[in-house]
Amino acid sequence: MYQLMTAGPTRVSAEVMAARSQPFPNPDQDHAFVEFYHELCGQISELLGSRAHETLILGGEGILALEAAIATLTEPGDRVLVLDNGVFGAGFADFVRIYGGEPVLYTCDYRCPIDPDALRQYLQTDHTFKYATLVHCDTPSGMRNDIASLCPLLKEFGLLTVVDAVASMFGEPVDVTKGIDLLCGGSQKVLSAPPGLAFVTISPEAWKFMQGRRAPVASFYANLLAFSRYYEEKWFPYTMPASDLQGLAVAVSRIAADATREARHAALATACRQALRQGGLTLYPESGFANTVTAFFVPEGLQVADVVRTMQLEHGIMISSSFGPFAGKLLRIGHMGENCTKDAITECLHSLQIALSKLGFEPKTSLSAAFLQGLG
Ligand SMILES: *Cc1c(COP(=O)(O)O)cnc(C)c1O
Protein backbone atom coordinates (compact mmCIF):
# COMPACT_ATOMS: atom_id res chain seq x y z
CA MET A 1 0.00 0.00 0.00
CA TYR A 2 1.13 3.56 -0.67
CA GLN A 3 1.16 6.63 1.60
CA LEU A 4 -1.41 9.30 0.88
CA MET A 5 -0.19 12.80 0.04
CA THR A 6 -3.42 13.65 -1.74
CA ALA A 7 -5.67 16.63 -1.11
CA GLY A 8 -8.13 14.26 0.53
CA PRO A 9 -8.49 11.62 1.59
CA THR A 10 -5.54 12.17 3.92
CA ARG A 11 -3.56 9.79 6.12
CA VAL A 12 -5.41 8.44 9.13
CA SER A 13 -3.71 7.94 12.50
CA ALA A 14 -3.53 4.51 14.17
CA GLU A 15 -5.60 5.95 17.05
CA VAL A 16 -8.48 6.85 14.73
CA MET A 17 -8.33 3.45 13.00
CA ALA A 18 -8.36 1.69 16.40
CA ALA A 19 -11.41 3.65 17.58
CA ARG A 20 -13.27 2.62 14.42
CA SER A 21 -12.73 -1.04 15.15
CA GLN A 22 -14.20 -0.94 18.68
CA PRO A 23 -17.66 -2.34 19.49
CA PHE A 24 -20.37 0.24 18.88
CA PRO A 25 -23.76 0.98 20.48
CA ASN A 26 -27.20 0.99 18.87
CA PRO A 27 -27.44 4.64 17.82
CA ASP A 28 -31.26 4.60 17.72
CA GLN A 29 -31.96 3.15 21.15
CA ASP A 30 -29.03 4.13 23.33
CA HIS A 31 -29.44 7.61 24.80
CA ALA A 32 -25.76 7.69 25.70
CA PHE A 33 -25.10 7.69 21.97
CA VAL A 34 -27.25 10.82 21.53
CA GLU A 35 -25.20 12.51 24.26
CA PHE A 36 -21.97 11.41 22.60
CA TYR A 37 -23.11 12.73 19.21
CA HIS A 38 -24.36 16.00 20.69
CA GLU A 39 -21.12 16.64 22.56
CA LEU A 40 -19.00 15.79 19.51
CA CYS A 41 -21.03 18.29 17.47
CA GLY A 42 -20.47 20.86 20.24
CA GLN A 43 -16.71 20.28 20.17
CA ILE A 44 -16.62 20.87 16.41
CA SER A 45 -18.63 24.10 16.82
CA GLU A 46 -16.27 25.26 19.54
CA LEU A 47 -13.21 24.62 17.36
CA LEU A 48 -14.88 26.67 14.63
CA GLY A 49 -15.55 29.64 16.88
CA SER A 50 -18.82 29.22 18.80
CA ARG A 51 -21.13 26.64 20.33
CA ALA A 52 -23.99 29.02 19.52
CA HIS A 53 -23.62 27.80 15.94
CA GLU A 54 -24.97 24.25 15.96
CA THR A 55 -23.04 21.54 14.13
CA LEU A 56 -24.76 18.51 12.62
CA ILE A 57 -22.69 15.53 11.52
CA LEU A 58 -24.26 13.77 8.56
CA GLY A 59 -23.66 10.23 7.31
CA GLY A 60 -22.22 10.94 3.88
CA GLU A 61 -19.19 12.30 2.09
CA GLY A 62 -18.33 16.05 2.18
CA ILE A 63 -20.51 16.73 -0.85
CA LEU A 64 -23.56 15.91 1.29
CA ALA A 65 -22.78 18.96 3.45
CA LEU A 66 -22.92 21.21 0.39
CA GLU A 67 -26.07 19.59 -0.93
CA ALA A 68 -27.81 19.66 2.48
CA ALA A 69 -27.03 23.36 2.97
CA ILE A 70 -28.42 24.25 -0.46
CA ALA A 71 -31.40 21.86 -0.27
CA THR A 72 -32.50 23.27 3.08
CA LEU A 73 -32.00 26.96 2.26
CA THR A 74 -33.34 27.13 -1.29
CA GLU A 75 -36.97 27.73 -2.16
CA PRO A 76 -38.18 27.67 -5.76
CA GLY A 77 -37.37 30.93 -7.55
CA ASP A 78 -34.75 32.16 -5.05
CA ARG A 79 -31.95 34.21 -6.56
CA VAL A 80 -28.60 32.97 -5.28
CA LEU A 81 -25.22 34.64 -5.71
CA VAL A 82 -22.55 32.05 -6.54
CA LEU A 83 -19.01 33.34 -6.05
CA ASP A 84 -16.93 31.49 -8.61
CA ASN A 85 -13.17 31.39 -8.83
CA GLY A 86 -12.73 27.64 -8.90
CA VAL A 87 -14.30 24.25 -9.56
CA PHE A 88 -16.19 23.96 -6.27
CA GLY A 89 -17.13 27.64 -6.44
CA ALA A 90 -18.86 27.18 -9.79
CA GLY A 91 -20.22 23.78 -8.71
CA PHE A 92 -22.60 25.35 -6.19
CA ALA A 93 -24.68 26.60 -9.13
CA ASP A 94 -25.67 22.99 -9.96
CA PHE A 95 -27.06 22.37 -6.47
CA VAL A 96 -28.92 25.69 -6.51
CA ARG A 97 -30.53 24.75 -9.85
CA ILE A 98 -31.42 21.22 -8.71
CA TYR A 99 -33.37 22.67 -5.76
CA GLY A 100 -35.23 25.22 -7.89
CA GLY A 101 -33.14 28.32 -7.28
CA GLU A 102 -31.77 30.73 -9.83
CA PRO A 103 -27.97 30.89 -9.56
CA VAL A 104 -26.26 34.13 -10.59
CA LEU A 105 -22.55 33.52 -11.09
CA TYR A 106 -20.02 36.14 -10.05
CA THR A 107 -17.04 34.75 -11.93
CA CYS A 108 -13.49 35.95 -11.27
CA ASP A 109 -9.99 35.08 -12.42
CA TYR A 110 -9.32 31.50 -11.21
CA ARG A 111 -5.69 32.38 -10.40
CA CYS A 112 -6.59 35.07 -7.85
CA PRO A 113 -8.74 35.16 -4.72
CA ILE A 114 -12.03 37.02 -4.88
CA ASP A 115 -11.37 40.71 -4.29
CA PRO A 116 -13.63 42.11 -1.55
CA ASP A 117 -13.49 45.67 -2.98
CA ALA A 118 -14.63 44.54 -6.43
CA LEU A 119 -17.36 42.42 -4.83
CA ARG A 120 -18.55 45.42 -2.82
CA GLN A 121 -18.91 47.43 -6.03
CA TYR A 122 -20.89 44.62 -7.61
CA LEU A 123 -23.17 44.27 -4.58
CA GLN A 124 -23.87 48.00 -4.67
CA THR A 125 -25.42 47.47 -8.12
CA ASP A 126 -27.25 44.21 -7.26
CA HIS A 127 -27.82 42.49 -3.95
CA THR A 128 -31.34 41.11 -4.22
CA PHE A 129 -30.18 37.60 -3.43
CA LYS A 130 -31.42 35.31 -0.69
CA TYR A 131 -27.97 33.95 0.03
CA ALA A 132 -24.46 33.67 -1.38
CA THR A 133 -22.17 30.65 -1.75
CA LEU A 134 -18.40 30.72 -1.56
CA VAL A 135 -15.47 28.39 -1.11
CA HIS A 136 -12.70 28.90 1.42
CA CYS A 137 -10.11 26.59 -0.14
CA ASP A 138 -10.96 25.62 -3.73
CA THR A 139 -8.90 22.44 -3.67
CA PRO A 140 -8.53 21.61 -7.40
CA SER A 141 -6.55 24.84 -7.90
CA GLY A 142 -5.13 25.39 -4.40
CA MET A 143 -6.94 28.73 -4.16
CA ARG A 144 -7.85 30.33 -0.85
CA ASN A 145 -10.47 33.03 -0.52
CA ASP A 146 -10.46 35.49 2.36
CA ILE A 147 -13.73 34.44 3.99
CA ALA A 148 -13.08 36.65 7.03
CA SER A 149 -13.49 39.69 4.74
CA LEU A 150 -15.99 38.31 2.22
CA CYS A 151 -18.62 36.92 4.62
CA PRO A 152 -19.08 40.07 6.73
CA LEU A 153 -19.33 42.03 3.46
CA LEU A 154 -22.09 39.75 2.16
CA LYS A 155 -23.90 40.08 5.51
CA GLU A 156 -23.68 43.86 5.23
CA PHE A 157 -25.86 43.53 2.12
CA GLY A 158 -28.31 41.27 3.92
CA LEU A 159 -27.29 37.95 2.36
CA LEU A 160 -27.01 34.66 4.20
CA THR A 161 -23.71 32.90 3.52
CA VAL A 162 -22.91 29.28 2.67
CA VAL A 163 -19.19 28.51 2.93
CA ASP A 164 -17.47 25.35 1.70
CA ALA A 165 -14.53 24.92 4.08
CA VAL A 166 -14.25 21.17 3.50
CA ALA A 167 -10.55 21.42 2.61
CA SER A 168 -9.52 24.22 4.95
CA MET A 169 -11.27 23.92 8.30
CA PHE A 170 -8.86 23.07 11.13
CA GLY A 171 -5.85 23.78 8.89
CA GLU A 172 -6.59 27.45 8.31
CA PRO A 173 -8.35 29.83 10.72
CA VAL A 174 -12.14 29.59 10.37
CA ASP A 175 -14.45 31.55 12.68
CA VAL A 176 -18.17 31.03 12.15
CA THR A 177 -18.97 34.17 14.13
CA LYS A 178 -17.47 36.24 11.30
CA GLY A 179 -20.54 36.17 9.08
CA ILE A 180 -20.80 32.46 8.27
CA ASP A 181 -24.37 31.08 8.29
CA LEU A 182 -23.82 27.56 6.96
CA LEU A 183 -20.31 26.15 7.07
CA CYS A 184 -19.68 22.86 5.24
CA GLY A 185 -16.99 20.36 6.22
CA GLY A 186 -15.92 16.77 5.76
CA SER A 187 -14.04 14.04 7.61
CA GLN A 188 -11.38 13.14 5.04
CA LYS A 189 -9.42 16.35 4.69
CA VAL A 190 -7.59 18.15 7.53
CA LEU A 191 -9.45 16.16 10.20
CA SER A 192 -7.76 13.03 8.87
CA ALA A 193 -10.51 10.47 9.34
CA PRO A 194 -11.61 8.26 6.44
CA PRO A 195 -14.19 9.63 3.97
CA GLY A 196 -17.80 9.12 5.00
CA LEU A 197 -18.90 11.99 7.22
CA ALA A 198 -19.99 15.54 6.43
CA PHE A 199 -20.74 18.42 8.80
CA VAL A 200 -22.75 21.57 8.58
CA THR A 201 -22.35 24.29 11.22
CA ILE A 202 -25.46 26.48 11.33
CA SER A 203 -25.88 30.04 12.63
CA PRO A 204 -28.93 30.83 14.80
CA GLU A 205 -30.11 33.15 11.99
CA ALA A 206 -29.88 30.41 9.36
CA TRP A 207 -31.84 27.99 11.60
CA LYS A 208 -34.60 30.55 11.97
CA PHE A 209 -34.61 31.18 8.27
CA MET A 210 -34.78 27.50 7.31
CA GLN A 211 -37.50 26.82 9.86
CA GLY A 212 -39.55 29.67 8.43
CA ARG A 213 -39.45 28.47 4.83
CA ARG A 214 -42.80 27.95 3.11
CA ALA A 215 -42.04 25.26 0.51
CA PRO A 216 -41.13 21.85 1.91
CA VAL A 217 -37.50 20.74 1.44
CA ALA A 218 -37.24 18.68 -1.75
CA SER A 219 -35.15 15.96 -0.12
CA PHE A 220 -35.22 13.65 2.87
CA TYR A 221 -31.56 12.71 3.29
CA ALA A 222 -30.29 16.24 2.59
CA ASN A 223 -32.90 17.98 4.77
CA LEU A 224 -31.22 19.60 7.77
CA LEU A 225 -34.63 20.37 9.28
CA ALA A 226 -35.06 16.64 9.88
CA PHE A 227 -32.46 17.09 12.67
CA SER A 228 -34.19 20.11 14.29
CA ARG A 229 -35.30 18.28 17.40
CA TYR A 230 -33.06 15.22 17.42
CA TYR A 231 -31.59 16.06 20.82
CA GLU A 232 -34.88 16.79 22.58
CA GLU A 233 -36.58 13.78 21.04
CA LYS A 234 -33.56 11.44 21.14
CA TRP A 235 -34.29 10.49 17.58
CA PHE A 236 -32.23 10.66 14.40
CA PRO A 237 -33.74 10.79 10.91
CA TYR A 238 -31.63 7.73 10.01
CA THR A 239 -29.32 5.35 11.84
CA MET A 240 -26.06 7.14 12.52
CA PRO A 241 -22.81 5.53 11.30
CA ALA A 242 -21.54 4.75 14.80
CA SER A 243 -18.07 3.40 13.90
CA ASP A 244 -17.34 6.39 11.69
CA LEU A 245 -18.36 8.68 14.55
CA GLN A 246 -16.14 6.84 17.05
CA GLY A 247 -13.21 7.42 14.72
CA LEU A 248 -14.20 11.02 14.19
CA ALA A 249 -14.31 11.69 17.93
CA VAL A 250 -10.66 10.67 18.21
CA ALA A 251 -9.72 12.73 15.16
CA VAL A 252 -11.47 15.78 16.68
CA SER A 253 -9.70 15.34 20.01
CA ARG A 254 -6.35 15.14 18.20
CA ILE A 255 -7.16 18.39 16.39
CA ALA A 256 -8.27 20.05 19.65
CA ALA A 257 -5.01 19.04 21.38
CA ASP A 258 -2.86 20.35 18.53
CA ALA A 259 -2.43 24.03 19.40
CA THR A 260 0.14 24.74 16.68
CA ARG A 261 -1.73 23.21 13.75
CA GLU A 262 -2.61 26.41 11.93
CA ALA A 263 0.91 27.81 12.28
CA ARG A 264 2.34 24.47 11.14
CA HIS A 265 0.14 24.33 8.05
CA ALA A 266 1.19 27.89 7.16
CA ALA A 267 4.92 27.31 7.70
CA LEU A 268 5.12 23.97 5.91
CA ALA A 269 2.96 25.15 3.01
CA THR A 270 5.06 28.29 2.56
CA ALA A 271 8.27 26.23 2.47
CA CYS A 272 6.71 23.72 0.06
CA ARG A 273 5.68 26.47 -2.37
CA GLN A 274 9.12 28.05 -2.14
CA ALA A 275 10.86 24.73 -2.86
CA LEU A 276 8.73 24.05 -5.94
CA ARG A 277 9.37 27.56 -7.27
CA GLN A 278 13.11 27.25 -6.68
CA GLY A 279 13.01 23.94 -8.51
CA GLY A 280 11.63 25.71 -11.57
CA LEU A 281 8.00 24.64 -11.24
CA THR A 282 5.09 27.07 -11.66
CA LEU A 283 2.40 27.32 -9.02
CA TYR A 284 -1.17 27.68 -10.29
CA PRO A 285 -2.38 30.55 -8.07
CA GLU A 286 -0.79 33.93 -8.55
CA SER A 287 -1.92 34.91 -5.06
CA GLY A 288 -4.23 33.51 -2.41
CA PHE A 289 -2.27 30.32 -1.83
CA ALA A 290 -4.03 27.72 0.31
CA ASN A 291 -2.00 26.30 3.17
CA THR A 292 -3.58 22.86 2.94
CA VAL A 293 -2.80 22.04 -0.71
CA THR A 294 -0.29 23.22 -3.31
CA ALA A 295 -1.26 23.08 -6.99
CA PHE A 296 1.39 23.42 -9.70
CA PHE A 297 1.62 22.92 -13.44
CA VAL A 298 2.98 19.63 -14.71
CA PRO A 299 6.28 20.49 -16.45
CA GLU A 300 6.02 20.89 -20.20
CA GLY A 301 6.37 17.62 -22.09
CA LEU A 302 5.36 15.49 -19.08
CA GLN A 303 1.97 13.88 -18.47
CA VAL A 304 0.16 14.29 -15.14
CA ALA A 305 -0.82 10.60 -15.14
CA ASP A 306 2.80 9.48 -15.60
CA VAL A 307 3.99 11.57 -12.67
CA VAL A 308 1.19 10.31 -10.41
CA ARG A 309 1.79 6.68 -11.42
CA THR A 310 5.57 6.89 -11.04
CA MET A 311 5.16 8.41 -7.59
CA GLN A 312 2.78 5.64 -6.61
CA LEU A 313 4.55 2.63 -8.09
CA GLU A 314 8.18 3.59 -7.59
CA HIS A 315 8.03 5.68 -4.45
CA GLY A 316 4.94 4.45 -2.61
CA ILE A 317 3.40 7.92 -2.41
CA MET A 318 0.15 9.02 -3.98
CA ILE A 319 -0.13 12.69 -4.90
CA SER A 320 -3.19 14.31 -6.51
CA SER A 321 -3.89 15.10 -10.09
CA SER A 322 -6.69 17.63 -10.65
CA PHE A 323 -9.99 17.77 -12.49
CA GLY A 324 -12.45 19.96 -14.34
CA PRO A 325 -10.55 22.64 -16.29
CA PHE A 326 -7.33 21.54 -14.57
CA ALA A 327 -7.38 17.88 -15.66
CA GLY A 328 -4.08 16.97 -17.30
CA LYS A 329 -2.58 20.32 -16.32
CA LEU A 330 -2.08 20.44 -12.58
CA LEU A 331 -0.43 18.26 -9.97
CA ARG A 332 -1.18 18.75 -6.30
CA ILE A 333 0.45 17.95 -3.00
CA GLY A 334 -2.07 17.68 -0.18
CA HIS A 335 -0.25 18.81 2.95
CA MET A 336 -3.23 18.82 5.29
CA GLY A 337 -3.93 17.16 8.63
CA GLU A 338 -1.82 14.05 9.20
CA ASN A 339 -0.10 14.70 5.83
CA CYS A 340 1.17 18.01 7.14
CA THR A 341 4.44 17.04 8.78
CA LYS A 342 7.99 18.02 7.95
CA ASP A 343 8.95 14.39 7.32
CA ALA A 344 6.00 13.55 5.08
CA ILE A 345 6.53 16.59 2.86
CA THR A 346 10.31 16.12 2.72
CA GLU A 347 9.86 12.51 1.61
CA CYS A 348 7.24 13.53 -0.94
CA LEU A 349 9.42 16.25 -2.47
CA HIS A 350 12.46 13.97 -2.53
CA SER A 351 10.47 11.32 -4.42
CA LEU A 352 8.93 13.92 -6.72
CA GLN A 353 12.41 15.07 -7.65
CA ILE A 354 13.44 11.57 -8.73
CA ALA A 355 10.15 10.93 -10.54
CA LEU A 356 10.26 14.22 -12.49
CA SER A 357 13.89 13.70 -13.35
CA LYS A 358 13.23 10.18 -14.62
CA LEU A 359 10.36 11.46 -16.78
CA GLY A 360 12.52 14.20 -18.32
CA PHE A 361 12.29 17.28 -16.11
CA GLU A 362 15.33 18.08 -14.01
CA PRO A 363 14.44 20.40 -11.10
CA LYS A 364 16.87 23.30 -10.81
CA THR A 365 17.60 22.54 -7.19
CA SER A 366 16.99 19.81 -4.63
CA LEU A 367 13.29 20.20 -3.77
CA SER A 368 13.61 18.54 -0.37
CA ALA A 369 16.74 20.53 0.56
CA ALA A 370 15.06 23.78 -0.51
CA PHE A 371 12.02 22.83 1.56
CA LEU A 372 14.08 22.16 4.68
CA GLN A 373 16.05 25.33 4.16
CA GLY A 374 12.80 27.28 3.79
CA LEU A 375 11.70 26.02 7.19
CA GLY A 376 14.83 27.64 8.68
C1 LIG B 1 -13.06 17.39 -0.96
C2 LIG B 1 -13.91 18.55 -1.14
C3 LIG B 1 -15.29 18.42 -1.12
C4 LIG B 1 -15.95 17.08 -1.01
O1 LIG B 1 -15.95 16.53 -2.26
P1 LIG B 1 -15.19 15.25 -2.82
O2 LIG B 1 -14.37 15.77 -3.97
O3 LIG B 1 -16.25 14.36 -3.28
O4 LIG B 1 -14.34 14.68 -1.76
C5 LIG B 1 -16.05 19.57 -1.24
N1 LIG B 1 -15.48 20.78 -1.36
C6 LIG B 1 -14.14 20.94 -1.39
C7 LIG B 1 -13.56 22.31 -1.55
C8 LIG B 1 -13.32 19.82 -1.27
O5 LIG B 1 -11.99 19.97 -1.29
Side-chain angles (χ1 to χ4, degrees), residues 16 40 47 77 89 118 127 137 142 170 192 199 214 244 258 296 298 302 312 327 363 375:
V16 169
L40 183 55
L47 285 165
H127 55 265
C137 167
F170 309 121
S192 297
F199 345 112
R214 292 173 306 271
D244 290 347
D258 182 2
F296 55 100
V298 67
L302 271 63
Q312 180 191 340
L375 286 178

Side-chain angles (χ1 to χ4, degrees), residues 167-215:
S168 58
M169 60 165 60
F170 309 121
E172 309 251 21
V174 174
D175 182 351
V176 288
T177 66
K178 298 210 171 101
I180 303 178
D181 289 303
L182 288 156
L183 182 77
C184 305
S187 55
Q188 83 277 28
K189 304 278 168 97
V190 182
L191 252 186
S192 297
L197 294 172
F199 345 112
V200 184
T201 303
I202 306 162
S203 72
E205 186 188 347
W207 258 135
K208 227 186 277 158
F209 212 87
M210 296 188 300
Q211 273 154 352
R213 56 178 289 148
R214 292 173 306 271

Side-chain angles (χ1 to χ4, degrees), residues 140-156:
S141 50
M143 173 56 60
R144 180 186 58 190
N145 286 310
D146 179 8
I147 55 170
S149 300
L150 295 168
C151 291
L153 171 62
L154 292 159
K155 299 294 291 178
E156 239 182 81

Side-chain angles (χ1 to χ4, degrees), residues 7 61-63 66 88 135 137-139 164 166-167 188-189 323:
E61 201 271 340
I63 287 290
L66 314 190
F88 283 98
V135 179
C137 167
D138 215 310
T139 331
D164 173 354
V166 174
Q188 83 277 28
K189 304 278 168 97
F323 50 94

Side-chain angles (χ1 to χ4, degrees), residues 59-239:
E61 201 271 340
I63 287 290
L64 177 62
L66 314 190
E67 181 155 0
I70 303 303
T72 316
L73 261 191
T74 313
E75 293 191 72
D78 283 345
R79 280 184 94 221
V80 177
L81 180 64
V82 175
L83 302 189
D84 161 31
N85 65 333
V87 172
F88 283 98
F92 265 120
D94 295 336
F95 291 124
V96 171
R97 247 179 246 115
I98 289 168
Y99 290 96
E102 183 201 321
V104 176
L105 270 84
Y106 176 82
T107 301
C108 301
D109 184 347
Y110 275 26
R111 294 184 78 174
C112 300
I114 291 164
D115 174 12
D117 293 331
L119 179 62
R120 174 181 292 281
Q121 286 190 0
Y122 173 81
L123 289 169
Q124 278 161 353
T125 65
D126 186 4
H127 55 265
T128 57
F129 304 101
K130 180 170 185 183
Y131 66 92
T133 64
L134 63 162
V135 179
H136 191 199
C137 167
D138 215 310
T139 331
S141 50
M143 173 56 60
R144 180 186 58 190
N145 286 310
D146 179 8
I147 55 170
S149 300
L150 295 168
C151 291
L153 171 62
L154 292 159
K155 299 294 291 178
E156 239 182 81
F157 285 87
L159 279 61
L160 292 168
T161 60
V162 176
V163 176
D164 173 354
V166 174
S168 58
M169 60 165 60
F170 309 121
E172 309 251 21
V174 174
D175 182 351
V176 288
T177 66
K178 298 210 171 101
I180 303 178
D181 289 303
L182 288 156
L183 182 77
C184 305
S187 55
Q188 83 277 28
K189 304 278 168 97
V190 182
L191 252 186
S192 297
L197 294 172
F199 345 112
V200 184
T201 303
I202 306 162
S203 72
E205 186 188 347
W207 258 135
K208 227 186 277 158
F209 212 87
M210 296 188 300
Q211 273 154 352
R213 56 178 289 148
R214 292 173 306 271
V217 175
S219 173
F220 178 79
Y221 209 65
N223 181 2
L224 296 172
L225 292 171
F227 283 81
S228 299
R229 295 185 49 77
Y230 85 86
Y231 187 59
E232 292 76 8
E233 293 172 4
K234 314 286 176 215
W235 179 87
F236 292 104
Y238 48 84
T239 302

Side-chain angles (χ1 to χ4, degrees), residues 216-283:
V217 175
S219 173
F220 178 79
Y221 209 65
N223 181 2
L224 296 172
L225 292 171
F227 283 81
S228 299
R229 295 185 49 77
Y230 85 86
Y231 187 59
E232 292 76 8
E233 293 172 4
K234 314 286 176 215
W235 179 87
F236 292 104
Y238 48 84
T239 302
M240 283 286 132
S243 299
D244 290 347
L245 284 155
Q246 287 178 177
L248 189 78
V250 174
V252 168
S253 65
R254 287 170 69 80
I255 288 285
D258 182 2
T260 62
R261 74 194 130 79
E262 287 166 7
R264 184 176 66 253
H265 279 81
L268 294 174
T270 303
C272 180
R273 293 194 288 269
Q274 183 179 315
L276 291 170
R277 278 202 201 96
Q278 287 178 4
L281 293 147
T282 307
L283 304 181

Side-chain angles (χ1 to χ4, degrees), residues 6-18:
T6 42
T10 51
R11 301 179 185 192
V12 175
S13 67
E15 288 82 351
V16 169
M17 293 304 278

